[in-house]
Amino acid sequence: MTGPTPPSPYPLGLRLGGRRVVVVGGGAVATRRVPALLDAGADVLLVSPELTPALRAHVDAGRLHWEPRRFAPGDLDGAWLVQVAVDDRAAAAAVSAAAAERRIFCVRADDRTAASAWTPAVTRHGPVTVAVLGGGDPRRAMTVRDAVRDLLSARKGPLLTPQVEEGPPLNTGGRVALVGAGPGDPELITVKGWRLLTEAEVVVADRLVPGLLLDELRPDVELVDASKIPYGPSRAQEEINRILVDRARAGKTVVRLKGGDPYVFGRGGEELLACAEAGVPVTVVPGVTSAIAVPEVAGVPVTHRGVAHEFTVVSGHLAPDAPASLVRWDALAGLRGTLVILMGLKNLAAISTTLMAHGKPADTPAAVIQEGTTAAQRTLRSTLGTVAADVETAALRPPAIVVVGDVVHALSPDAPA
C-alpha cells in the first residue's frame, strides 16, 4: 500500500541581488554553488572553519564575506536563503532547524528530503536560464536539462556523444582530457570541451576556470580543486599529475579543466607527459587563450594593420633579474610589435624599468586588463613609464593581462587606416 503522493515543488526564480545568502561549508559542494550565487548578485556569507583555495580566492577578491568558524544560528539573521554544503547530518540538521525557526528556505546537499528548497539542474544560454527539477531525482533533472541545453545551443545529434578521441583506451576505460576553459566567460569554452565536461566523472579544476561551469556539473561528479593561487597556497604539480593518473587507472573519465589554453603557461605539457608515462590516453582540447582574448574584449587588438605585424607572449611571474628567468627582456625591448605579459602584475615595476633601460620609450602605450571577459573586468590605459604606479593607484589585482605597444590605441578614431 502506497502513501499519498508528495506535493510538487513550486518553481520560482529568486532575485538575490543585494540580498544575504548564507552558505555553510567550505568544501567541494560550496565551491560549485557559490559562483552561481555571486553571479546572481547575492550578498554571500560563507561560514566554515576551512575553505578550498578557489573559495579563498573569492574572499581575497572581496566577492563574499567569510566567517572562519562553525555555524551559529545567529548567522541566519537577515538572510533570505541558506545553502547547507556539509556532509555532517547533525550539523546540517541544526542549520535546517535554525532556518525553519526564522522562516528561511534551506537547501541541503546531504539530504534533499529534509530540505525546504531544492537546487535545480541549470543551463544558461545568453539571457535565458532554464532550471529543471526532476521530482527528487537529480539524474532525471540533469538529463532533461542537458536536452534543453542542446536545443538552445542548436547543436546537432545527441548531447552525450560516444567517445571519438584518438588512441586505444585502457582496459579499465579510464582516460584524461586536458580541456582549456577559456579566459573567464563560461560561454567561451569550446563545444568539444563542454561536451567532454558533461561526460566527466572526475573534474580537476584550476582557480581561473569559469565558476559557472562547475555549477553545471552532475551531482555525482568528483570535483578536485587544484587551484594555484599566485604567491599563495598551491597543490604541487606532482600531486595533480598523481590524481590524474590514479583516477584514470581506476577507470574514470577525467577532465583536467584549465583556465585559458592548457599549453599557454598552463603546465598542460607536463600533465600529458605524466599520463603518457603511466600509459593513460590523453585528449587535448585547446582553449581560448587569455593572451589574445582578454585584450580583444578590452578593445586592444594584439595585431593591427599599419600598427603591429607581430606579438609576443611572455610570462612575468619571475622578475627580469631572477636567475631562473628564461625571458630575454633586452631583446623584447627592441621589437616593434606587441608585447603581451601574463602573470606579470607583481613584477610590473621591474619589467617596465628593464624594458626602458634597454631602449623601450617610456611613452610607449600600455594597458592592463583585470579579469577580462567577466563581469569584474577592469581596464587601465597608461604608458610604460607610469603603468606600474597607475596599477597600484587603481588597486588592480591578478589575474590581469599587460599589453605594451601602439595597439593599445589602435582602435581610437585617429588610428592609422
Side-chain angles (χ1 to χ4, degrees):
M1 183 175 179
T2 60
T5 302
S8 299
Y10 181 78
L12 190 68
L14 297 181
R15 301 178 66 185
L16 296 176
R19 295 183 168 95
R20 172 59 57 91
V21 175
V22 178
V23 177
V24 180
V29 173
T31 299
R32 293 166 59 162
R33 299 307 178 207
V34 163
L37 294 173
L38 295 177
D39 188 63
D43 173 18
V44 177
L45 169 63
L46 188 59
V47 182
S48 176
E50 298 179 350
L51 296 182
T52 65
L55 288 172
R56 186 180 291 272
H58 288 303
V59 175
D60 292 343
R63 300 188 186 102
L64 55 83
H65 179 70
W66 173 39
E67 287 291 343
R69 54 170 172 77
R70 296 181 65 85
F71 170 81
D75 292 332
L76 298 186
D77 293 344
W80 292 67
L81 177 69
V82 57
Q83 169 87 53
V84 184
V86 297
D87 55 10
D88 183 332
R89 291 181 63 84
V95 180
S96 284
E101 181 180 342
R102 291 163 174 77
R103 296 186 178 183
I104 300 170
F105 281 108
C106 178
V107 179
R108 285 181 55 169
D110 68 308
D111 188 353
R112 293 172 60 84
T113 62
S116 58
W118 290 350
T119 300
V122 176
T123 183
R124 300 172 177 87
H125 188 77
V128 176
T129 298
V130 178
V132 180
L133 296 172
D137 183 346
R139 288 184 176 274
R140 180 189 297 135
M142 291 288 181
T143 299
V144 175
R145 185 279 310 272
D146 289 348
V148 172
R149 187 217 291 256
D150 190 34
L151 292 173
L152 289 174
S153 301
R155 296 185 176 100
K156 298 180 180 179
L159 184 63
L160 301 180
T161 57
Q163 295 278 359
V164 296
E165 281 67 48
E166 302 80 6
L170 295 178
N171 292 334
T172 60
R175 62 191 304 114
V176 170
L178 303 180
V179 176
D185 182 341
E187 291 190 322
L188 292 180
I189 189 172
T190 64
V191 173
K192 184 174 183 178
W194 178 83
R195 176 176 62 79
L196 291 175
L197 196 59
T198 67
E199 298 172 354
E201 297 170 281
V202 180
V203 175
V204 183
D206 277 345
R207 177 179 68 95
L208 296 180
V209 305
L212 291 179
L213 292 177
L214 304 181
D215 182 49
E216 296 183 9
L217 296 176
R218 299 192 314 274
D220 58 327
V221 172
E222 178 188 3
L223 175 63
V224 179
D225 189 338
S227 297
K228 290 178 168 294
I229 300 174
Y231 316 107
S234 66
R235 189 188 294 266
Q237 184 63 48
E238 292 75 14
E239 175 66 8
I240 296 174
N241 296 346
R242 184 192 65 79
I243 291 171
L244 297 176
V245 170
D246 286 355
R247 298 300 193 276
R249 282 178 166 172
K252 301 292 186 180
T253 299
V254 185
V255 166
R256 174 69 168 111
L257 193 63
K258 309 170 78 70
D261 181 272
Y263 285 178
V264 180
F265 306 130
R267 296 193 172 184
E270 297 176 42
E271 292 163 355
L272 182 140
L273 291 173
C275 290
E277 184 178 350
V280 173
V282 178
T283 297
V284 179
V285 181
V288 177
T289 176
S290 60
I292 299 173
V294 167
E296 183 174 331
V297 298
V300 179
V302 294
T303 64
H304 193 71
R305 184 163 61 95
V307 179
H309 293 171
E310 63 185 9
F311 68 95
T312 305
V313 181
V314 300
S315 171
H317 76 289
L318 295 176
D321 60 353
S325 176
L326 301 177
V327 179
R328 284 284 309 277
W329 295 103
D330 57 335
L332 293 176
L335 297 179
R336 298 180 60 184
T338 305
L339 179 60
V340 181
I341 306 169
L342 277 59
M343 301 179 289
L345 219 55
K346 179 172 183 276
N347 295 313
L348 185 54
I351 290 171
S352 302
T353 299
T354 300
L355 289 172
M356 289 185 291
H358 289 282
K360 200 73 168 175
D363 61 354
T364 302
V368 180
I369 307 101
Q370 170 191 297
E371 297 188 79
T373 77
T374 76
Q377 177 176 314
R378 295 176 62 193
T379 302
L380 179 149
R381 282 178 167 81
S382 180
T383 64
L384 186 62
T386 62
V387 65
D390 291 343
V391 163
E392 185 174 351
T393 300
L396 295 187
R397 62 174 186 271
I401 305 295
V402 180
V403 183
V404 178
D406 291 336
V407 292
V408 168
H409 299 304
L411 299 185
S412 60
D414 56 348

